[in-house]
Amino acid sequence: MSRRDAAAAPETEYGENEYMGREAGPSAIQRAFIYLGRFVLILMETVLLVAMLLYGVMYVLAKGPSPTARDMFVMSVRETSAIGFLANLYFTDEEIAQIEANKNAGEYVETDTSLININTEPAQTGDDGQGPKADAWGLVDEDGDGIIIDNVKGEGYSGYMMIVQDPSRVIMGSKPESFGVRGYTVEEMVKEFDAVAGINAGGFYDPNGQGNGSIPDSLVVVDGQVYYAANGERNGFVGFDSNYIMHVGMPTLSEIQEKSIMTGACFGPVLVANGEPADPSTLASGVNPRTAIGQRSDGAVLMLVIDGRQVTSMGAKYQDLVDIMLRYGAVNACNLDGGSSSLMWFEDGYVNNCASVIGIRPVPTTFLVLKEGASANG
């Protein structure tokens, strides 16, 4: 054996002994579980930190020095069935009731139908003879389909206003035969009635955010027939009579029948009545997604949705809706169900963003817009 071979032998022997005495490393499956465990641990820590941060923010809003922030927090979460319990983390039922005490329905004012004169004149061309003429509110129906959709923006919110020039095209999209069985999304209602557009309307029974949208929580009028009258009108009613004039307020069952109300739903509060804005003392609210409906003096129907619970649009207060409706010429207007139900459909898609984390929610009632040439009376 050469000197080189002799010197190398012990190294080879030692290396073999070291290898044979070393424990085998974790298998691929074991490593996968180790990585998964670390990921789950990091995820749990992140969720815990976020939860603590949110709790801290809510605590500051609820228990901080600002009564306005406190009331806004309480009413915002209480207007949302799925997270209404958050208010109870910081306040007793008595304290919540005291905060909500300002949320009262305003005095009922009978709708003055003489303030609405439905425009039956065809659209006129502009002064240049090229294209349609702007209406009295500066809005132009560019494509001549009788519907205008305008962007709405304000401090902390954004949304859309749909102006339907012919009120006879507006109907109640609802299927009484399905009450208590199933609800329909706005899209499904539009398709069921062969309509072109629509918004959600009244509220529905929704315990802990688990309702299926099939049971109206208040009075509904469909084709002149009244349903769920025993449930009352909540904070306001909105409906159309046989002459396509919109009524708002808190009418009794006999008044609904006497006024030939053909379609209607409840939610409230009333925002504008006979051209006058609602008393601000009746409009205490949080910031949330909103839906509302109104009518101009020329009969055009105003359908409004405001996005909410988003970085770019936190939502609107009731007073914001009043201001918007007056800006667009509403003589009468009423708030409808909002939150995760607040949606507007036009032609082939939703115009606004749904605030629900579980997807589009079914509802029992909608206000729909029929296609050109169609009307509520067929």
Side-chain angles (χ1 to χ4, degrees):
M1 179 181 295
S2 67
R3 292 179 62 86
R4 180 183 179 89
D5 292 338
E11 293 181 8
T12 302
E13 183 179 356
Y14 178 79
E16 290 175 353
N17 291 339
E18 181 185 45
Y19 175 78
M20 293 176 65
R22 184 188 303 161
E23 293 184 2
S27 65
I29 295 178
Q30 290 174 322
R31 287 197 299 271
F33 275 107
I34 291 172
Y35 294 143
L36 179 60
R38 291 175 179 171
F39 173 77
V40 171
L41 181 60
I42 293 173
L43 180 62
M44 291 176 63
E45 291 176 345
T46 302
V47 171
L48 180 60
L49 288 172
V50 171
M52 292 174 63
L53 177 62
L54 289 176
Y55 183 85
V57 171
M58 290 188 295
Y59 185 86
V60 171
L61 291 174
K63 297 296 187 178
S66 172
T68 301
R70 177 201 64 195
D71 295 354
M72 187 73 68
F73 165 74
V74 171
M75 287 185 284
S76 293
V77 298
R78 292 281 291 179
E79 290 171 352
T80 309
S81 56
I83 61 172
F85 69 91
L86 291 177
N88 297 96
L89 295 178
Y90 308 96
F91 303 99
T92 65
D93 290 339
E94 292 74 17
E95 289 172 325
I96 292 173
Q98 185 174 2
I99 292 173
E100 292 185 322
N102 292 329
K103 198 175 179 181
N104 299 319
E107 181 181 355
Y108 171 50
V109 178
E110 184 175 0
T111 298
D112 183 355
T113 58
S114 69
L115 298 176
I116 308 297
N117 296 291
I118 297 176
N119 180 22
T120 59
E121 297 295 327
Q124 299 178 349
T125 57
D127 295 335
D128 58 1
Q130 305 294 321
K133 182 179 180 179
D135 62 20
W137 294 268
L139 299 170
V140 180
D141 180 12
E142 298 287 356
D143 55 7
D145 65 350
I147 296 175
I148 302 170
I149 297 181
D150 201 30
N151 291 329
V152 175
K153 290 188 180 296
E155 185 176 350
Y157 67 82
S158 63
Y160 302 89
M161 177 69 83
M162 178 185 293
I163 300 94
V164 184
Q165 295 173 333
D166 181 1
S168 72
R169 293 174 63 182
V170 177
I171 66 168
M172 167 64 68
S174 183
K175 298 180 73 64
E177 64 272 21
S178 296
F179 287 164
V181 179
R182 60 158 294 188
Y184 295 78
T185 64
V186 176
E187 175 187 3
E188 289 172 335
M189 283 293 195
V190 168
K191 293 179 178 178
E192 283 282 331
F193 288 85
D194 194 29
V196 69
I199 57 174
N200 63 294
F204 55 93
Y205 183 62
D206 189 30
N208 301 317
Q210 303 295 316
N212 68 353
S214 68
I215 304 177
D217 65 359
S218 46
L219 182 149
V220 173
V221 184
V222 183
D223 295 330
Q225 181 68 43
V226 178
Y227 300 87
Y228 294 93
N231 290 1
E233 298 93 354
R234 286 186 62 110
N235 290 325
F237 170 83
V238 56
F240 291 83
D241 64 22
S242 56
N243 294 317
Y244 315 119
I245 294 177
M246 195 179 87
H247 296 247
V248 297
M250 299 285 287
T252 63
L253 180 59
S254 60
E255 287 174 329
I256 287 174
Q257 295 169 336
E258 291 170 3
K259 298 177 186 301
S260 298
I261 303 297
M262 302 305 296
T263 63
C266 299
F267 203 82
V270 172
L271 304 171
V272 183
N274 297 330
E276 296 296 326
D279 183 342
S281 66
T282 68
L283 298 176
S285 71
V287 174
N288 273 304
R290 303 289 183 189
T291 301
I293 189 168
Q295 188 172 41
R296 297 189 318 200
S297 59
D298 64 348
V301 177
L302 307 172
M303 295 182 173
L304 173 68
V305 291
I306 298 294
D307 281 332
R309 302 170 193 167
Q310 303 168 30
V311 175
T312 56
S313 181
M314 295 299 293
K317 303 185 295 294
Y318 290 153
Q319 186 61 55
D320 295 323
L321 303 187
V322 172
D323 297 339
I324 294 169
M325 281 294 181
L326 290 175
R327 191 162 69 241
Y328 280 86
V331 173
N332 296 295
C334 186
N335 178 62
L336 297 172
D337 191 11
S340 56
S341 300
S342 193
L343 282 170
M344 175 185 289
W345 177 277
F346 179 65
E347 290 188 337
D348 57 1
Y350 286 107
V351 175
N352 68 311
N353 298 312
C354 179
S356 174
V357 297
I358 60 175
I360 307 298
R361 302 199 68 188
V363 295
T365 56
T366 59
F367 282 111
L368 304 179
V369 183
L370 298 174
K371 294 178 179 178
E372 288 185 84
S375 71
N377 288 338

